Amino acid sequence: QVQLVESGGGLVQAGGSLRLSCAASGLTSSITTMGWFRQAPGKERGYVAAIDWGGASTHYADSVKGRFTISRDSAKNTVYLQMKNLKPEDAAVYYCAAGLRPLITFLTYEYDYWGQGTQVTVSS
């Protein structure tokens, strides 16, 4: 089992920045991929970014490229999502997810464990 705990959400003005954290515990040696997803009210959960557990490869949704950066601290078993130039449309509950297959993917069903989510609110 893997446990994921997100933190770092909050209220920010448009154009501002936030850094989300996702701390993994449990059988972290089984993790191959970590992803960030988000879900706004009335919308499906959508892909944001992913990173392989080794931290060598990253991938981003087109909507966040150039503004968001995913990274990993191996010593802390923590994955980060640095978000800059936030827009009102970025407001959502952000979830981190862990996958056990060596595959960086935007598909939610490829991820095996999910955190509880952290709210990001962007005021215009």
Side-chain angles (χ1 to χ4, degrees):
Q1 290 283 341
V2 173
Q3 295 79 41
L4 303 173
V5 179
E6 302 101 331
S7 61
L11 172 65
V12 64
Q13 288 188 331
S17 300
L18 277 176
R19 188 178 78 159
L20 306 183
S21 299
C22 174
S25 61
L27 292 176
T28 57
S29 60
S30 63
I31 299 173
T32 57
T33 305
M34 293 290 292
W36 283 98
F37 293 77
R38 63 188 181 187
Q39 188 168 19
K43 295 188 177 181
E44 292 187 355
R45 190 169 299 188
Y47 170 73
V48 176
I51 187 169
D52 72 294
W53 195 231
S57 299
T58 58
H59 184 269
Y60 298 90
D62 288 343
S63 59
V64 305
K65 277 182 183 176
R67 298 188 299 123
F68 291 11
T69 302
I70 188 171
S71 62
R72 182 203 171 211
D73 185 329
S74 58
K76 297 181 178 180
N77 283 334
T78 299
V79 174
Y80 302 99
L81 186 68
Q82 177 68 53
M83 305 185 293
K84 298 181 179 180
N85 190 22
L86 282 159
K87 304 175 181 180
E89 53 263 41
D90 294 317
V93 176
Y94 281 71
Y95 298 90
C96 72
L100 307 184
R101 287 164 290 280
L103 175 67
I104 291 185
T105 177
F106 58 88
L107 300 171
T108 57
Y109 60 78
E110 292 286 356
Y111 291 86
D112 302 276
Y113 298 97
W114 293 82
Q116 82 288 351
T118 185
Q119 178 73 51
V120 172
T121 304
V122 184
S123 63
S124 57

